[in-house]
């Protein structure tokens, strides 16, 4: 019982078609992954996640849905949409540098100055095992932020006593945009070696909004491949190598002025893991490297919309390492210590080609480099059977600098004096969970979060923000943004009903936002002006999530996932990119490896906006209805065939959501058919 | 006669030794001898003299081959346009002992060509030698000197001294302002206040954090200019005397 409440986000096995998901997942954890229990226990409790699994399960079990959509149906997460691909996750409406995003604990930073390449776009459902969401800045081991973070965990092979082969392949088709997906994967394991490889290819033409209206520049094409290998080393240790490559081409961003010619990611890691005393101690040390290469493209846009052709490439290079020790000191005492560091270098330039006159070149990110060292400690102590306290802390030191004399010279026109900065950030929290009886779980947390300005916020050089149509300048002298986070959660559960509620209030100080600079001329043709990042004295964010799951009769599950946030700054102006109330209500019916799901997604209107200050306009309410059905056939003892059919936006509504930049209509009716064979 | 020739030869070869030394940094434009036997070599920073502010150097040697270090040297540029002749702003040379050169500068306001041809008269202790000068037009899409008639009816010349090699970021800016007294005299103007506004003509934007040039002596005005990117830049100058606007807008064009 206790473990069910503990941390874990989701283990989406391939054993999808079961109404008793939770029990199954726990079983599979126990059986296959004794070493991972501890790891999973690191993540703070968020009971509502259990309920949201059904929605995610359905989206992930065919291994073909975009990770974006899997995230979108998770309470607390809203996606900032710039195109039909590579949406940017926001956590309780916090985004960018306010939250951390990592893959297997590795820090990866996007290379695009227009935020076209959130790292979630490099993870595909066929190599995603789970993602863990942490709202607690102190307990977030990946990095510093005021709103926690999301860590994507890639699938990994596991050793087996007898030699085993397994594989999978599948394909899917969507009517809207004539999108196709094709995937294949293979896994081999024996007692000392485990290997896995996964690949997926997907493409889509322009999608159509309601009424068959084509949305130009919404196409994409990408492939993703990953390999993972584990070799046993000694009795209780193993060496693991991971490599992931993701390449996207010709990706349209209808909400932006440019598209993407290519977006490439190479992510490599080498880890050494040691376990001792039957999983009482787990020690993982990892070194990693990633390189993101990104090039924007305006050559396919109609000439009348391109006042001047430009090239805007960017790269992000990160080296990092960490060593993490999980200590299961006793049944009532778990401790985790992590030391980590990384070195990230960004490079982004813009070259403009006027029809008459010489090309014009500048850095938009003039080689800013961040070197980072962090220490994380978390200690979960059960004071009694009912009460567990978890104090956590994360300290992080950063050194930012500009590399290259031409880069320094260019920035000399904007910033006086030396450009390097040292930053120190502390995240502290204490969480308590109290289980008065077997039906109830209460938890509360208080945290002090802090985060350094991102390299973009510190050193941006006329980076255009489509949301408010301003060119942004960085500010190396930004103070850290800090917050006091209060949260309270409760879960009630009996045999047929489960209700989880989280409420939170974040009291932010030195909120980082843009302020208009008078007398500065814009770099971007058509921009409204120039803004520079400053610290706004304070801001407030509050909201909550409510998840409900009810099984009125056998095989029938009614669920409701609700997310709400509201934010305002010190002058009472609404903060930008705050999602309104969102509710996802579904009825699931499972019968003999067949499932049906009917699902309504409603976003309330967002009227709490500050057009003047942050450039946002109001967004109307929207509701869509989705249908899903699936069946699993056993072709032989091992071979299974899964077929999923779905209709998204059944009534072909014309709609968009508040976090959709430029309010481009989302897809109209979409029929999808997906087949996956498990060998 | 032979002796003189020998002497000349000897001094020549001796000169050459020194020339190679100097040639590391300067380009020899031409050389002449004054009636009094002083060898005058005219040097510039590059072989090409252009419509712009040009630094010009002379080295002087007596017939005995010794450096002449305390001569009074003046420059007088003249453009002969058949029907008329005119001069242009010049900064008179002063001796630089470190380089053993007299350093001055000339603003050539037009290129040589069918319109006319330039000469530079270098007087050494009032003994003139006349150099024929080829002035090339400004590099494409650049304009490093400009002239305009002010609201006071006087023609003003603005010439760019710095940045010689512009780069992105903050550059030291220095301009020379002269006025046309008559066709042959262009004295420096020392009593103006200058407002600077850079612009990228192909995009229409400017740049922040520029510093208006202020007078530092002999018609030189020094300030700072910020180039946010490479490409074509236009520098707009507004010239004021007290509160009176003398020139609303005079522009120089740079390209890098
Ligand atoms: Cu981009």
């Amino acid at each position: 019982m206790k473990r069910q409440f503990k941390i874990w986000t989701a283990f989406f096995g391939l054993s999808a078609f079961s109404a008793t998901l939770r029990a199954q997942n726990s079983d599979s954890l126990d059986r296959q992954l004794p070493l991972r229990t501890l790891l999973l226990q690191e993540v703070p409790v968020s009971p509502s996640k259990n309920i949201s699994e059904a929605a995610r399960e359905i989206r992930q079990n065919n291994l073909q849905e975009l990770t974006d959509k899997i995230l979108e149906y998770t309470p607390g997460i809203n996606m900032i949409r710039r195109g039909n691909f590579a949406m940017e996750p926001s956590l309780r409406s916090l985004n960018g540098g306010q939250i951390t995003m990592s893959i297997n604990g590795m820090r990866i930073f996007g290379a695009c100055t227009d935020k076209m390449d959130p790292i979630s776009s490099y993870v595909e459902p066929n190599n995603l095992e789970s993602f863990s969401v942490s709202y607690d800045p102190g307990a977030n081991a990946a990095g510093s932020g005021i709103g926690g973070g999301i860590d994507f965990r890639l699938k990994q092979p596991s050793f087996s006593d007898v030699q085993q082969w397994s594989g999978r392949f599948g394909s899917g088709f969507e009517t809207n945009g004539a999108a196709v997906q094709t995937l294949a994967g293979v896994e081999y394991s024996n007692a000392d070696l485990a290997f896995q490889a996964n690949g997926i290819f997907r493409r889509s033409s322009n999608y159509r909004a309601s009424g068959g209206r084509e949305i130009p520049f919404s196409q994409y094409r990408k492939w993703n491949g990953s390999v993972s290998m584990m070799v046993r080393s000694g009795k209780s240790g193993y060496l693991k190598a991971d490599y992931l490559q993701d390449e996207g081409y010709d990706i349209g961003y209808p909400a932006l002025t440019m598209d993407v010619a290519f977006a490439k990611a190479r992510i490599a890691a080498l880890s050494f893991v040691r376990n001792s005393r039957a999983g009482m101690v787990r020690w993982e040390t990892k070194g990693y490297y990633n390189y993101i290469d990104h090039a924007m493209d305006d050559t396919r846009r109609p000439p009348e919309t391109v006042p001047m052709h430009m090239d805007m490439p960017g790269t992000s290079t990160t080296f990092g390492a960490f060593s993490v020790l999980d200590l299961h000191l006793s049944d009532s005492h778990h401790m985790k210590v992590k030391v980590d560091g990384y070195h990230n270098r960004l490079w982004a330039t813009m070259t403009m080609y006027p029809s008459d006159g010489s090309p014009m070149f500048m850095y938009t990110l003039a080689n800013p480099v961040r070197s980072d060292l962090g220490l994380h400690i978390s200690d979960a102590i059960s004071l009694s059977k009912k009460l567990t306290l978890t104090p956590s802390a994360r300290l992080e030191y950063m050194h930012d600098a500009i590399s290259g004399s031409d880069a320094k010279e260019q920035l000399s026109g904007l910033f006086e004096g030396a450009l390097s900065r040292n930053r120190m950030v502390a995240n502290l929290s204490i969480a308590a969970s109290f289980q008065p009886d077997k039906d109830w779980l209460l938890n509360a947390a208080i945290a002090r979060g802090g985060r350094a300005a991102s390299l973009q916020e510190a050193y941006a050089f006329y980076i255009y923000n489509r949301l408010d149509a301003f060119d942004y300048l960085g500010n190396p002298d930004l103070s850290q943004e800090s917050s006091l986070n209060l949260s309270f959660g409760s879960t009630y559960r009996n045999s047929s009903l489960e209700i989880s509620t989280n409420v939170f209030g974040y009291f932010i100080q030195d909120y980082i936002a843009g302020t208009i600079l008078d007398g500065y001329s814009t770099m971007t043709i058509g921009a409204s002006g120039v803004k520079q990042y400053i610290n706004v004295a304070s801001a407030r964010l509050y909201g909550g999530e409510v998840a409900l799951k009810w099984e009125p009769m056998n095989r029938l599950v009614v669920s409701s996932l609700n997310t709400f946030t509201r934010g305002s700054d010190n002058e009472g102006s609404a903060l930008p990119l705050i999602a309104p109330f969102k509710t996802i209500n579904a009825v699931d019916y499972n019968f003999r490896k067949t499932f049906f799901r009917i699902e309504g997604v409603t976003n309330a209107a967002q009227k709490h906006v500050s057009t003047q200050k942050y450039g946002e306009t109001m967004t109307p309410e929207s509701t869509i209805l989705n249908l899903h059905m699936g069946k699993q056939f056993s072709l032989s003892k091992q071979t299974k065939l899964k077929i999923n059919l779905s209709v998204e936006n059944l009534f072909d509504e014309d709609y968009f959501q508040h976090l959709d930049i430029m309010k481009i209509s989302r897809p109209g009716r979409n029929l999808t058919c997906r087949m996956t064979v498990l060998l | 006669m032979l002796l003189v020739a020998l002497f000349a030869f000897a001094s020549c070869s001796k000169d050459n030794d020194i020339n190679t030394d100097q040639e590391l940094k300067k380009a020899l434009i031409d050389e002449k001898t004054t009636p009094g036997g002083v060898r005058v070599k005219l040097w510039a920073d590059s072989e090409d003299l252009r419509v712009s502010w040009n630094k010009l150097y002379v080295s002087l040697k007596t017939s005995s081959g010794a450096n002449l270090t305390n001569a009074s040297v003046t420059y007088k540029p003249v453009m002969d346009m058949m029907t008329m002749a005119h001069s242009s702003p010049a900064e008179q040379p002063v001796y630089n002992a470190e380089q053993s050169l007299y350093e001055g500068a000339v603003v050539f306001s037009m290129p040589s060509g069918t319109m006319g041809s330039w000469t530079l008269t270098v007087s050494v202790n009032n003994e003139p030698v006349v150099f024929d000068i080829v002035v090339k037009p400004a590099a494409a899409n650049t304009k490093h000197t400009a002239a305009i008639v002010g609201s006071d009816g006087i023609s003003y010349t603005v010439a760019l001294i710095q940045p010689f090699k512009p780069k992105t970021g903050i550059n030291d800016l220095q301009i020379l302002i002269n006025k046309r007294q008559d066709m042959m005299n262009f004295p420096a103007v020392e009593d103006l206040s200058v407002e600077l506004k850079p612009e990228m003509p192909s995009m229409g934007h400017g740049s922040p954090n520029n510093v208006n040039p202020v007078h530092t002596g002999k018609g030189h005005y020094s300030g700072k200019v910020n180039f946010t990117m490479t490409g074509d830049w236009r520098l707009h100058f507004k010239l004021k005397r007290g509160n009176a606007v003398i020139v609303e807008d005079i522009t120089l064009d740079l390209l890098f």
Side-chain angles (χ1 to χ4, degrees):
Chain A
M1 189 69 196
K2 199 166 175 184
R3 184 181 303 117
Q4 291 174 354
F5 281 117
K6 290 237 164 159
I7 8 294
W8 70 299
T9 46
F11 173 73
F12 307 109
L14 299 170
S15 52
F17 299 88
S18 167
T20 54
L21 272 173
R22 198 168 49 242
Q24 250 200 11
N25 287 343
S26 301
D27 286 348
S28 52
L29 280 176
D30 284 341
R31 200 171 49 246
Q32 305 174 354
L33 309 161
L35 311 180
R36 269 193 262 173
T37 339
L38 258 176
L39 182 73
L40 292 170
Q41 279 169 342
E42 296 149 18
V43 187
V45 178
S46 185
S48 65
K49 281 174 202 153
N50 290 342
I51 296 174
S52 65
E53 277 149 30
R56 280 195 269 157
E57 186 75 34
I58 277 167
R59 289 190 162 71
Q60 194 164 8
N61 83 68
N62 58 57
L63 304 173
Q64 292 177 25
E65 191 90 81
L66 278 170
T67 303
D68 290 352
K69 283 197 183 164
I70 301 169
L71 287 166
E72 197 165 25
Y73 285 84
T74 305
I77 296 181
N78 284 289
M79 304 299 282
I80 302 170
R81 184 180 162 101
R82 299 177 173 88
N84 204 23
F85 178 75
M87 289 176 248
E88 181 191 354
S90 81
L91 204 54
R92 285 178 169 168
S93 293
L94 296 174
N95 61 77
Q98 296 172 318
I99 58 172
T100 63
M101 280 202 284
S102 50
I103 296 177
N104 282 354
M106 298 181 280
R107 300 305 305 269
I108 302 170
F109 299 91
C112 177
T113 50
D114 287 353
K115 301 185 178 174
M116 288 171 170
D117 59 349
I119 70 166
S120 44
S121 67
Y122 305 131
V123 181
E124 287 287 343
N126 64 323
N127 60 26
L128 173 69
E129 179 179 285
S130 67
F131 54 87
S132 82
V133 176
S134 165
Y135 294 114
D136 181 335
N140 177 16
S144 300
I146 62 166
I150 305 174
D151 186 38
F152 296 92
R153 305 225 164 129
L154 300 178
K155 282 211 179 82
Q156 67 170 52
S158 49
F159 300 115
S160 56
D161 297 334
V162 290
Q163 175 170 301
Q164 274 181 2
W165 281 95
S166 66
R168 56 204 152 263
F169 62 89
S171 190
F173 179 77
E174 303 182 25
T175 55
N176 201 335
V180 290
Q181 305 93 36
T182 308
L183 72 91
V186 64
E187 194 170 328
Y188 169 82
S189 60
N190 63 28
D192 299 312
L193 179 85
F195 170 85
Q196 141 192 300
N198 281 303
I200 190 166
F201 171 80
R202 50 171 89 240
R203 73 183 303 163
S204 172
S205 308
N206 288 338
Y207 71 82
R208 286 171 191 276
S210 172
R213 182 164 56 91
E214 184 174 348
I215 303 296
F217 314 109
S218 61
Q219 78 289 346
Y220 59 81
R221 188 171 95 233
K222 77 168 282 189
W223 64 265
N224 177 294
S226 60
V227 288
S228 179
M229 188 159 98
M230 283 162 56
V231 181
R232 211 182 273 287
S233 147
K235 236 180 175 179
S236 56
Y238 61 88
L239 208 66
K240 180 165 163 258
D242 292 284
Y243 180 72
L244 185 153
Q245 188 165 345
D246 184 288
E247 300 199 353
Y249 294 93
D250 187 24
I251 305 168
Y253 288 82
L256 303 178
T257 53
M258 294 180 89
D259 302 313
V260 157
F262 63 80
K264 302 178 190 179
R266 279 156 206 200
I267 300 165
L270 190 66
S271 327
F272 181 66
V273 181
R274 249 186 101 85
N275 298 286
S276 74
R277 286 196 290 138
M280 301 303 272
V281 177
R282 182 179 190 276
W283 182 29
E284 177 180 4
T285 302
K286 177 182 288 197
Y288 62 90
Y289 165 79
N290 58 72
Y291 176 67
I292 314 293
D293 193 1
H294 183 88
M296 284 189 259
D297 178 23
D298 60 8
T299 56
R300 293 176 190 229
R301 296 291 177 111
E304 63 272 18
T305 66
V306 182
M308 194 181 294
H309 164 60
M310 58 182 92
D311 284 335
M312 294 188 73
T315 64
S316 167
T317 314
T318 309
F319 294 92
F322 63 78
S323 191
V324 56
L325 192 63
D326 285 296
L327 300 167
H328 189 124
L329 298 169
S330 72
D331 265 356
S332 59
H333 193 182
H334 300 200
M335 200 172 165
K336 175 174 166 174
V337 181
K338 180 174 180 246
V339 184
D340 54 75
Y342 69 83
H343 181 82
N344 171 240
R345 178 194 171 112
L346 300 175
W347 170 88
T349 67
M350 175 168 84
T351 309
M352 301 172 116
Y353 300 92
S355 47
D356 49 346
S358 313
M360 296 171 278
F361 169 89
M362 68 177 205
Y363 291 101
T364 45
L365 285 171
N367 305 333
V369 178
R370 172 167 286 175
S371 309
D372 176 292
L373 207 59
L375 171 70
H376 171 81
I377 298 174
S378 174
D379 194 16
I381 310 161
S382 296
L383 299 177
S384 70
K385 286 228 145 115
K386 293 180 173 178
L387 181 65
T388 300
L389 285 182
T390 310
S392 320
R394 182 177 169 82
L395 299 173
E396 198 162 339
Y397 167 80
M398 280 158 258
H399 177 74
D400 297 349
I402 299 295
S403 106
S405 60
D406 53 341
K408 283 180 190 157
E409 272 165 7
Q410 181 188 305
L411 293 186
S412 74
L414 212 53
F415 311 121
E416 273 182 52
L419 293 162
S420 59
R421 296 288 184 277
N422 295 320
R423 305 176 193 278
M424 186 85 192
V425 175
N427 284 232
L428 306 167
S429 73
I430 181 156
S433 70
F434 181 61
Q435 198 169 358
D437 57 48
K438 72 177 183 56
D439 292 340
W440 282 92
L441 176 75
L442 305 173
N443 51 69
I446 179 165
R448 188 271 179 200
R451 63 121 179 165
S454 67
L455 289 176
Q456 284 85 351
E457 287 161 340
Y459 300 109
F461 199 82
Y462 294 94
I463 292 180
Y464 183 62
N465 178 359
R466 191 70 200 267
L467 189 63
D468 58 5
F470 273 77
D471 280 336
Y472 273 69
L473 298 179
N475 179 357
D477 295 320
L478 284 174
S479 304
Q480 63 173 282
E481 186 175 279
S482 63
S483 68
L484 176 70
N485 298 6
L486 303 177
S487 62
F488 178 78
S490 70
T491 296
Y492 170 79
R493 165 189 326 217
N494 65 28
S495 56
S496 66
L497 180 70
E498 181 178 339
I499 304 176
S500 293
T501 310
N502 288 329
V503 290
F504 67 90
Y506 294 172
F507 303 90
I508 306 171
Q509 286 196 316
D510 291 321
Y511 177 73
I512 297 174
T515 188
I516 295 176
L517 286 178
D518 287 322
Y520 276 59
S521 60
T522 59
M523 178 67 65
T524 306
I525 296 165
S528 312
V530 178
K531 284 187 180 179
Q532 185 168 33
Y533 290 105
I534 55 149
N535 291 109
V536 175
S538 66
R540 248 188 298 181
L541 186 71
Y542 62 87
E545 296 98 31
V546 177
L548 181 149
K549 181 174 153 191
W550 179 41
E551 292 184 52
M553 51 193 269
N554 210 8
R555 302 191 186 113
L556 188 73
V557 179
V558 178
S559 65
S560 177
L561 305 173
N562 304 279
T563 303
F564 173 71
T565 46
R566 189 176 171 96
S568 47
D569 67 12
N570 59 326
E571 291 172 333
S573 305
L575 297 181
L577 294 175
I578 303 291
F581 175 67
K582 172 168 89 176
T583 178
I584 302 169
N585 298 288
V587 178
D588 286 273
Y589 182 74
N590 287 270
F591 179 68
R592 287 192 185 168
K593 311 249 169 192
T594 305
F595 75 85
F596 299 93
R597 179 181 174 89
I598 177 165
E599 176 184 73
V601 181
T602 297
N603 280 267
Q606 179 57 286
K607 293 177 176 161
H608 187 236
V609 295
S610 354
T611 310
Q612 201 64 33
K613 205 163 174 180
Y614 298 114
E616 271 192 339
T617 54
M618 290 195 250
T619 304
E621 181 268 350
S622 70
T623 298
I624 59 162
L625 205 71
N626 303 327
L627 298 179
H628 299 273
M629 62 176 287
K631 187 160 175 59
Q632 177 171 309
F633 302 91
S634 289
L635 303 180
S636 72
K637 205 172 176 195
Q638 254 229 320
T639 311
K640 292 183 180 76
L641 168 69
K642 291 182 181 186
I643 298 181
N644 287 25
L645 298 171
S646 67
V647 187
E648 291 167 307
N649 194 0
L650 179 67
F651 296 117
D652 199 34
E653 294 289 336
D654 191 9
Y655 78 111
F656 49 82
Q657 297 180 2
H658 187 60
L659 301 193
D660 295 358
I661 307 290
M662 302 307 286
K663 303 198 187 314
I664 309 266
S665 291
R666 289 197 172 209
R669 188 181 302 116
N670 185 21
L671 276 63
T672 71
C673 174
R674 297 187 169 115
M675 274 183 285
T676 308
V677 176
L678 308 175
L679 301 168
Chain B
M1 188 63 194
L2 188 76
L3 201 74
V4 173
L6 258 176
F7 217 101
F9 181 76
S11 64
C12 242
S13 59
K14 211 171 174 184
D15 271 0
N16 277 344
D17 288 342
I18 300 163
N19 288 354
T20 25
D21 190 22
Q22 288 172 339
E23 269 162 12
L24 291 173
K25 284 165 267 170
K26 309 276 185 276
L28 182 63
I29 301 297
D30 203 353
E31 49 188 307
K32 301 259 169 174
T33 308
T34 64
V38 176
R39 194 76 180 148
V40 182
K41 285 191 173 186
L42 181 67
W43 306 85
D45 288 321
S46 97
E47 278 175 22
D48 294 336
L49 300 176
R50 293 195 181 269
V51 176
S52 66
W53 180 87
N54 295 269
K55 205 143 195 200
L56 288 172
Y57 314 84
V58 292
S59 59
L60 302 177
K61 298 233 184 273
T62 60
S63 48
S64 66
N67 279 336
L68 189 59
T69 61
N70 56 356
S72 101
V73 183
T74 63
Y75 291 162
K76 183 90 184 173
V78 173
M79 189 182 208
D80 183 359
M81 300 178 74
M82 314 302 174
T83 56
M84 59 161 290
H86 66 80
S87 183
S88 69
E91 299 197 77
Q92 297 310 328
V94 291
Y95 187 67
N96 179 337
E98 224 168 90
Q99 301 205 36
S100 308
L101 290 172
Y102 295 81
E103 289 182 10
V106 172
V107 178
F108 294 111
S109 49
M110 299 169 70
S112 313
T114 50
M115 297 280 286
S117 52
W118 284 94
T119 57
L120 178 70
T121 304
V122 178
S123 300
V124 179
N125 296 331
N126 292 320
E127 286 191 342
V129 285
V130 179
F131 292 91
D132 289 321
I133 301 285
V134 177
V135 177
K136 296 195 169 172
N141 295 320
T142 70
K143 184 173 74 173
H144 287 189
T145 178
I148 196 169
V149 177
S151 59
D152 55 1
I154 296 170
S155 174
Y156 290 85
T157 306
V158 173
L160 183 76
I161 298 174
Q162 267 192 312
F164 180 65
K165 279 190 178 149
K167 56 181 172 39
T168 48
I170 290 282
N171 290 257
D172 287 327
L173 174 75
Q174 199 179 141
I175 53 172
L176 174 69
I177 305 181
N178 298 75
K179 66 178 177 188
R180 189 175 71 188
Q181 202 167 44
D182 53 50
M183 293 304 266
M184 285 298 150
N185 288 292
F186 292 78
V189 183
E190 310 194 331
D191 59 347
L192 297 176
S193 62
V194 180
E195 286 172 22
L196 160 71
K197 220 177 109 192
E199 183 208 358
M200 290 204 96
S202 30
M203 294 169 72
H205 69 71
S207 68
N209 300 331
N210 299 285
V211 177
N212 286 333
V214 294
H215 187 249
T216 53
K218 296 186 173 173
H220 287 235
Y221 293 75
S222 295
K224 304 258 186 210
V225 61
N226 179 17
F227 297 126
T228 47
M229 61 202 302
T230 68
D232 292 292
W233 282 92
R234 177 163 290 167
L235 303 181
H236 294 270
F237 298 100
K238 182 190 254 189
L239 309 183
K240 287 158 80 175
R241 184 173 287 120
N243 285 328
V245 176
I246 303 297
V247 170
E248 183 61 44
D249 187 23
I250 183 168
T251 61
L252 301 179
D253 292 341
L254 283 75
L255 167 64
F256 65 101

